[in-house]
């Protein structure tokens, strides 16, 4: 068997800050809270941490989206680092975890703290969600755009909601996907969130509720869009030889998926019924010694419900175009079903922790620490997927060394 | 049978007026690479870069033809028919900025080459008439020094656009 380097890494600790709507706390404050929790959970102290990584860090979006830069966090925690990394380009939000896995495998660091922090709910205030370029409306001269945004913003295609709605419409046309099928991503998330005390939306949701709520951009309604929140998620990525010493069961990395073969574009991708998820998932399975049928739980990106549908197909849990029938009725993806999906409630109901909430939940479930929402049959293998459109990364985790 | 009344303005399926685009159009910053594209509507035509050697259209603009193996295929703007197909669409209801009303974002592929796509607005078309793969044709909307290519159902529309389109 090929010795893929990511298999030398484990997730030895996990932690989260307080999570909620409009907490009014700074991003670095939340990050330190999550970081200290993850470090303690790994049975380590700050002095053991010699690596630091984040997505995206400075330079992408505002701070409410990007979270604090890695230098800010390093300084706030007075970390002495042998390796550090931050960036927004790569295979999804989870790219920071991939970088950390390779760093520990290469011996650049032994214990890497990886975090993703958002304060988008506080930043949004009492107003609605804004699109890219949306801040231009306050009067004065409207700025102009270069690069890829110039092809979308003039036409009011200002949000990933619009761009992904195009994927959803095309799937309805080619595959006969229906809204009452798509609904089950949101309904499943809400059912799971009822068992998660820190989920931001926990009230029951019915199919009628889903079908009656306002449209955002057809065919995506409000409940197809994730819920902005404030919060930080951190994990400690350690060398696998630390696993026996970790106080909690270490989650072993079996494979990472990083490929991007199609054009890196929301609108020029070669097949508008799918996304970069196709390439990331295929590359992950090539590196894995497991198959889709081995997976006990899937924690798949649900920034918008349609993304989750594409991941379900591209990861091989159902055939292409058949995710509508697969999720319809919710049995296949329920907590006690064959493929429990987004068991914390996902981003649609637990809050938009931007990929890392799903990673955290995969570890919680593999460790058997889900409490009321623990999958009844203890999962041994979990898949995590991050990103939509041209952004995609996936990861296969196991409870033991495999 | 469309519920939109013939000759009136296009509507959403719930009967509210369907606009031609967002309340404020954020415009592209013109530069030497994109100016031909965004100003071509002044002459009433849509242009894309085309490789002089392999004859493929390339969009968005690129320095050299990405399809020619040696990377030496020279690209020049060339007019196309302005006809295409509506590959996908969405009716945006979200008010991203004040005064936004519903409008249609379309993804159009051009008849000359079906992997050349444009995001655009579909105008002069009721929501109930929108279907994927429907034929569409270009119409331009001038904004400052930019001519935005919008698309409407091919062969004319029952709807009379307010203010006149080009």
């Amino acid at each position: 068997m090929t010795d893929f380097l990511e298999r030398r890494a484990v997730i030895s600790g996990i932690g989260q800050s307080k999570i909620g709507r409009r907490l009014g706390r700074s991003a670095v404050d939340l990050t330190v809270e999550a970081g200290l929790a993850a470090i303690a959970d790994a049975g380590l102290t700050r002095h053991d941490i010699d690596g630091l990584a984040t997505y995206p860090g400075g330079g992408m979006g505002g701070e409410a989206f990007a979270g604090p830069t890695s230098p800010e966090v390093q300084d706030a925690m007075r970390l002495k680092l042998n390796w550090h990394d931050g960036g927004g380009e790569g295979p999804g939000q989870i790219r920071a975890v991939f970088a950390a896995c390779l760093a520990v495998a290469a011996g650049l660091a032994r214990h890497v703290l990886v975090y993703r922090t958002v304060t988008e709910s506080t930043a949004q205030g009492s107003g609605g969600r804004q699109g890219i370029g949306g801040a231009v409306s306050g009067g004065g001269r409207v700025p102009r755009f270069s690069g890829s945004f110039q092809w979308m913003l003039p036409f009011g295609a200002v949000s990933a909601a619009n761009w992904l709605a195009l994927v959803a419409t095309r799937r309805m046309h080619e595959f006969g996907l229906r809204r009452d099928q798509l609904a089950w991503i949101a309904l499943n998330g809400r059912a799971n969130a009822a068992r998660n005390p820190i989920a931001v939306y926990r009230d029951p949701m019915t199919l009628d509720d889903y079908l009656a709520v306002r449209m955002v951009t057809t065919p995506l309604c409000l409940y197809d869009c994730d819920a902005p929140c404030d919060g930080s998620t951190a994990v400690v990525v350690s060398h696998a030889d630390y696993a026996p010493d970790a106080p909690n069961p270490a989650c072993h990395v079996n494979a990472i998926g990083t490929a991007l073969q199609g054009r890196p574009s929301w609108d020029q991708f070669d097949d508008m019924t799918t996304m970069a998820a196709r390439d990331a998932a295929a590359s992950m399975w090539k590196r894995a010694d497991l198959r889709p049928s081995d997976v006990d739980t899937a924690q798949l990106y649900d920034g918008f419900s349609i993304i989750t549908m594409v991941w379900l197909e591209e990861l091989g849990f159902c055939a292409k175009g058949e995710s509508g029938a697969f999720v319809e009725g919710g049995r296949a993806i329920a907590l006690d079903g064959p493929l429990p999906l987004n068991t914390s409630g996902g981003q649609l109901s637990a809050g938009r922790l931007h990929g890392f909430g799903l990673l955290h939940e995969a570890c919680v479930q593999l460790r058997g620490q889900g409490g009321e929402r623990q999958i009844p049959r203890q999962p041994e293998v979990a898949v995590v997927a991050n990103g939509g459109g041209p952004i995609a990364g996936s990861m296969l985790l196991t409870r033991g060394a495999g | 049978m469309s519920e939109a009344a013939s000759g009136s303005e296009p509507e959403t399926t719930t009967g509210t007026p369907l606009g031609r685009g967002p309340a404020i159009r954020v415009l592209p910053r013109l530069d030497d690479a994109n100016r031909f594209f965004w100003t071509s509507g002044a002459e009433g035509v849509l242009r894309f870069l085309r490789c002089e050697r392999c004859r493929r259209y390339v969009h968005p603009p690129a320095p050299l033809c990405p399809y020619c193996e040696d990377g030496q295929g020279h690209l020049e703007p060339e007019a196309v028919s302005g006809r295409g197909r509506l590959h996908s669409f969405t009716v945006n209801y979200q008010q991203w900025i004040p005064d936004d009303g519903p409008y249609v974002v379309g993804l159009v592929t051009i008849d000359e080459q079906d992997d050349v796509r444009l995001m655009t607005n579909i105008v002069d078309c009721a929501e109930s008439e929108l279907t994927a793969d429907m034929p569409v044709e270009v119409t331009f909307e001038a904004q400052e020094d930019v001519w935005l290519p919008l698309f409407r159902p091919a062969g004319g529309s029952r709807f009379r656009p307010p203010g006149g389109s080009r």
Side-chain angles (χ1 to χ4, degrees):
Chain A
M1 187 180 70
T2 314
D3 180 25
F4 292 119
L5 286 185
E6 65 263 36
R7 292 190 196 172
R8 297 185 193 173
V10 297
I11 295 174
S12 61
I14 58 175
Q16 283 184 320
S17 69
K18 183 172 173 58
I19 289 160
R21 301 275 286 173
R22 296 179 205 126
L23 298 179
R25 287 171 57 187
S26 77
V28 72
D29 176 24
L30 293 168
T31 305
V32 169
E33 182 185 353
L36 291 176
I39 294 165
D41 181 79
L44 302 170
T45 74
R46 272 193 270 183
H47 307 291
D48 299 310
I49 299 298
D50 62 350
L52 182 66
T54 191
Y55 170 96
M60 180 182 273
E63 197 203 39
F65 171 80
T69 65
S70 61
E72 278 180 88
V73 174
Q74 177 182 3
D75 205 47
M77 300 181 79
R78 295 294 193 275
L79 300 175
K80 297 182 191 307
L81 301 176
N82 291 318
W83 179 82
H84 49 103
D85 169 277
E89 295 176 8
Q93 298 82 355
I94 205 171
R95 63 149 292 282
V97 177
F98 298 170
C101 291
L102 299 179
V104 299
L108 290 165
R110 182 161 172 79
H111 300 291
V112 182
L113 182 66
V114 191
Y115 66 91
R116 174 81 184 101
T117 306
V118 285
T119 51
E120 292 177 298
S121 181
T122 290
Q124 181 177 295
S126 55
R129 189 186 280 219
Q130 284 198 328
I132 290 165
V136 302
S137 59
R141 196 165 173 80
V142 177
R144 290 194 170 204
F145 280 80
S146 296
S148 61
F149 288 143
Q150 71 176 295
W151 309 109
M152 304 190 283
L153 302 192
F155 310 103
V158 296
S159 165
N162 300 129
W163 314 332
L164 289 160
L166 298 171
V167 174
T169 299
R170 190 68 203 175
R171 293 179 72 84
M172 289 182 161
H173 180 70
E174 287 196 23
F175 306 137
L177 172 68
R178 304 189 315 267
R179 287 193 64 222
D180 64 284
Q181 295 175 321
L182 183 60
W184 285 95
I185 301 297
L187 297 175
N188 175 70
R190 187 59 64 89
N192 289 333
R195 297 166 176 262
N196 177 4
I198 64 165
V200 298
Y201 292 128
R202 303 182 66 201
D203 293 340
M205 183 196 294
T206 66
L207 182 57
D208 286 343
D209 295 334
Y210 173 92
L211 294 173
V213 79
R214 71 178 173 87
M215 275 291 165
V216 170
T217 184
T218 62
L220 304 181
C221 67
L222 185 65
Y223 295 150
D224 291 309
C225 307
D226 62 1
C229 69
D230 295 351
S232 179
T233 305
V235 300
V236 177
V237 173
S238 298
H239 194 283
D241 67 15
Y242 177 68
D245 301 321
N248 288 291
C251 299
H252 290 253
V253 179
N254 189 268
I256 61 177
T258 58
L260 177 53
Q261 313 265 312
R263 288 178 70 184
S265 165
W266 290 91
D267 54 342
Q268 305 293 332
F269 198 76
D270 52 280
D271 177 356
M272 286 299 293
T273 66
T274 186
M275 314 182 302
R278 174 193 68 194
D279 304 336
S283 69
M284 182 188 80
W285 288 120
K286 278 185 197 163
R287 298 175 72 85
D289 52 11
L290 299 165
R291 295 178 309 240
S293 59
D294 296 317
V295 173
D296 300 312
T297 179
Q299 308 292 336
L300 308 183
Y301 199 76
D302 59 347
F304 301 95
S305 55
I306 192 69
I307 298 175
T308 318
M309 302 285 275
V310 175
W311 276 115
L312 281 169
E313 295 175 14
E314 298 299 354
L315 284 165
F317 299 120
C318 59
K320 177 148 187 190
E322 293 182 6
S323 57
F326 183 76
V327 303
E328 189 174 356
R331 286 302 312 147
I333 54 174
L335 195 64
D336 58 355
L339 187 72
L341 174 73
N342 295 359
T343 48
S344 67
Q347 296 187 182
L348 294 173
S349 282
R352 173 184 162 79
L353 294 168
H354 216 208
F356 275 46
L358 299 162
L359 170 65
H360 184 275
E361 179 67 9
C363 296
V364 165
Q365 292 290 347
L366 288 176
R367 288 157 53 145
Q369 296 169 345
E372 201 189 334
R373 69 175 190 278
Q374 179 63 38
I375 296 166
R377 194 166 48 94
Q378 173 60 49
E380 299 293 327
V381 180
V383 66
V384 182
N386 274 193
I391 302 159
S394 62
M395 189 178 198
L396 201 56
L397 293 168
T398 62
R399 179 176 160 88
Chain B
M1 187 69 184
S2 166
E3 61 194 70
S6 179
S8 67
E9 290 179 21
E11 295 179 339
T12 67
T13 49
T14 55
T16 54
L18 197 50
R20 298 174 68 82
I24 297 175
R25 290 214 188 261
V26 175
L27 298 177
R29 181 180 297 128
L30 298 186
D31 57 37
D32 289 347
N34 69 10
R35 185 172 292 104
F36 83 89
F37 181 87
W38 291 116
T39 60
S40 188
E43 299 160 50
V45 293
L46 184 62
R47 287 186 173 89
F48 290 95
L49 290 183
R50 191 174 193 187
C51 179
E52 293 184 332
R53 194 159 64 187
C54 77
R55 306 304 291 152
R56 287 191 70 164
Y57 293 94
V58 173
H59 184 73
L64 285 163
C65 178
Y67 303 109
C68 284
E69 287 294 334
D70 62 3
Q72 296 303 312
H74 185 65
L75 300 171
E76 277 294 328
E78 192 171 306
V80 295
S81 65
R83 289 188 292 272
R85 297 264 170 181
L86 182 59
H87 192 65
S88 193
F89 63 88
T90 178
V91 181
N92 177 77
Y93 283 88
Q94 179 77 7
Q95 210 169 58
W96 302 108
I97 53 177
D99 304 324
D100 258 353
Y103 54 89
V104 184
V105 174
L107 185 64
V108 167
T109 61
I110 63 169
D111 278 356
E112 286 78 3
Q113 186 174 310
D114 67 6
D115 65 352
V116 171
R117 300 197 196 114
L118 277 184
M119 235 184 249
T120 184
N121 294 124
I122 305 301
V123 297
D124 306 339
C125 181
E127 180 174 7
S128 57
E129 295 179 305
L130 291 164
T131 54
D133 292 338
M134 69 189 278
V136 291
E137 64 189 19
V138 74
T139 176
F140 291 95
E141 180 179 306
Q143 295 270 347
E144 301 180 21
D145 55 353
V146 167
W147 279 259
L148 298 170
L150 311 182
F151 285 78
R152 62 188 175 201
S157 166
R158 302 180 291 110
F159 300 104
R160 303 213 170 277
S165 66
R166 287 161 189 265

